[in-house]
Amino acid sequence: MKRLFVLVLALVIMLCGCKSSSADEYPVSHMVSLETNIYNNGEFYYDSYTRLNYCDFVTMQSTIVCPYPNCTHADSSTCSSYGLSCYPTVFDGKMYYFKYTNGTYSETITAYRCDIDGTNRIALETFTDWEIAGYNPALVVENTIYMTAKQTAFNDYGTTEDYVSVSLISYDFETGKFNEVVKIGEGYNAGASIKGEANGIVYISYSYYDHELTDEELDALYIDHIFPESVLEYYKFDLSTGELSENDEAVWKALDGYLIVYNDDLTEAIIRTPNGEEYDIGNKVALQVCNDYAFHLYYGLIIDLETGTHYESKLPLETRYNVEYYLDGAYILKDSLNNEFIRLEASELIREEITS
């Protein structure tokens, strides 16, 4: 499926899938952003000082990830909360994270492992001539983390070319090895983003320019933030067969088995349940799905995905809070701008049914 698309947030928008407390560890698959990760009835997140924190959703207490009792958490050379970079993921009692480095004729992704408190760090494996493809989320499936990456090429000056190849890559926590899983495509300023997983299918969007951008287009892009039209395609990757195929639907998100699907001109969308029911959501695609409800609290919208009933939120419109988690009958909400968490019972969050 090919469409022309203004590349504003196509490849950097963060996926939010809400997890419940049905398991202490990860479900079969879950999404990880560069800076946040739900884990064990809580969430790892970075604060404004790039320190890794953890909020325990049982106690609603946040702590900086550092075991040293007298640490002021102000010195990155002594405090273990710094430097945990991207995709902080816990597997088998250890924290894994990744670093991307670039230089003249050099682009690498390195996997690291440490204790959950950030100490005892070890560099494990380096993937040479690859870079992580933008601020895109990763997908963890059992012992493997999948991410999109660009295979870099260099010009005569040692800097990267604009024409790049983009692939789905993986890192296996058990074997400690990177792998190029499948090539998605290539083009000028190309990039891809994992949109989520449902029923063993990973949904991916891929965008590129079909020509080298002119100096005028580059000035418009980087100075005026006017984005030239790019080509946007959608793909499906089958985890069981390893096959990548073009998707004839514009799946914008896959959240806890639910699919958010755009129409052909990317102006309206529906949310599709695992049972095949479809509900119109207009252009409100930045939904969170939690406990079989869809939430778009900025607009005050809540949908019961089992019945299709619409409700109103009790929070003020244009709130910065998003639903992150459901635990023991209550919803955990997060203001990502200020890294503030609150806990609300359903009766404190959901207002009466919308009848008109």
Side-chain angles (χ1 to χ4, degrees):
M1 170 180 288
K2 293 187 178 181
R3 297 181 175 84
L4 290 178
F5 185 68
V6 179
L7 186 63
V8 180
L9 290 177
L11 301 176
V12 300
I13 203 164
M14 184 181 297
L15 284 83
C16 293
C18 174
K19 301 296 182 289
S20 69
S21 60
S22 59
D24 289 336
E25 299 295 331
Y26 294 131
V28 174
S29 73
H30 73 286
M31 298 297 290
V32 184
S33 81
L34 280 176
E35 300 180 346
T36 63
N37 188 4
I38 298 289
Y39 171 70
N40 199 23
N41 290 337
E43 180 176 314
F44 288 106
Y45 65 93
Y46 282 92
D47 61 23
S48 59
Y49 298 97
T50 69
R51 300 174 300 195
L52 190 65
N53 291 246
Y54 182 75
C55 180
D56 185 329
F57 293 156
V58 176
T59 64
M60 294 303 293
Q61 297 297 311
S62 289
T63 56
I64 293 175
V65 178
C66 175
Y68 306 122
N70 298 319
C71 184
T72 63
H73 312 304
D75 187 346
S76 61
S77 66
T78 58
C79 178
S80 65
S81 65
Y82 291 89
L84 296 173
S85 298
C86 61
Y87 305 139
T89 305
V90 177
F91 178 80
D92 198 22
K94 296 289 185 179
M95 173 84 74
Y96 291 80
Y97 60 100
F98 300 85
K99 285 187 177 181
Y100 160 67
T101 58
N102 64 325
T104 304
Y105 298 108
S106 175
E107 305 270 343
T108 62
I109 305 170
T110 302
Y112 290 81
R113 184 182 68 214
C114 64
D115 293 341
I116 294 182
D117 60 11
T119 60
N120 299 318
R121 303 181 185 190
I122 301 172
L124 299 171
E125 172 86 345
T126 295
F127 212 26
T128 303
D129 295 336
W130 291 86
E131 64 171 295
I132 296 172
Y135 300 96
N136 297 310
L139 174 72
V140 176
V141 182
E142 297 178 342
N143 60 301
T144 303
I145 183 169
Y146 295 89
M147 60 193 86
T148 53
K150 301 177 183 179
Q151 189 169 28
T152 50
F154 300 92
N155 57 30
D156 293 338
Y157 303 99
T159 57
T160 56
E161 296 280 8
D162 291 334
Y163 193 91
V164 296
S165 174
V166 179
S167 293
L168 182 69
I169 69 169
S170 67
Y171 178 80
D172 190 313
F173 297 121
E174 292 183 340
T175 65
K177 297 297 182 183
F178 281 104
N179 179 47
E180 181 187 8
V181 179
V182 64
K183 179 179 176 179
I184 301 170
E186 60 183 48
Y188 291 100
N189 303 93
S193 179
I194 298 173
K195 315 306 284 187
E197 178 271 337
N199 299 318
I201 302 297
V202 180
Y203 294 90
I204 300 169
S205 67
Y206 168 65
S207 181
Y208 65 95
Y209 295 108
D210 57 9
H211 65 281
E212 186 172 7
L213 297 183
T214 65
D215 290 340
E216 291 77 11
E217 288 175 317
L218 289 172
D219 287 343
L221 177 63
Y222 294 113
I223 298 175
D224 301 322
H225 304 293
I226 299 173
F227 293 81
E229 287 187 337
S230 65
V231 180
L232 181 62
E233 302 172 357
Y234 293 88
Y235 288 90
K236 299 184 292 184
F237 176 72
D238 191 317
L239 288 168
S240 62
T241 66
E243 294 181 357
L244 181 75
S245 59
E246 199 164 359
N247 193 1
D248 59 0
E249 289 188 315
V251 174
W252 192 243
K253 291 182 184 178
L255 306 170
D256 293 354
Y258 295 90
L259 298 181
I260 295 176
V261 184
Y262 264 123
N263 61 6
D264 287 342
D265 58 5
L266 305 181
T267 58
E268 301 286 330
I270 56 96
I271 185 166
R272 182 180 300 143
T273 73
N275 295 327
E277 299 289 339
E278 296 183 353
Y279 304 113
D280 292 329
I281 57 174
N283 62 355
K284 300 177 178 64
V285 296
L287 292 169
Q288 293 84 41
V289 174
C290 195
N291 192 36
D292 293 320
Y293 281 81
F295 296 88
H296 200 314
L297 298 183
Y298 184 87
Y299 293 106
L301 173 65
I302 301 172
I303 305 173
D304 183 336
L305 295 174
E306 293 184 339
T307 65
T309 304
H310 285 223
Y311 296 88
E312 292 179 343
S313 166
K314 288 188 175 182
L315 299 182
L317 293 178
E318 300 185 4
T319 179
R320 291 194 299 262
Y321 282 104
N322 290 317
V323 175
E324 293 281 292
Y325 204 73
Y326 181 77
L327 178 66
D328 297 335
Y331 293 94
I332 310 299
L333 279 62
K334 179 183 179 182
D335 177 347
S336 296
L337 183 64
N338 298 308
N339 286 318
E340 295 178 352
F341 295 85
I342 59 174
R343 178 187 177 97
L344 296 178
E345 301 291 329
S347 60
E348 299 175 292
L349 177 62
I350 303 173
R351 199 184 295 278
E352 65 274 3
E353 180 178 343
I354 300 175
T355 57
S356 59

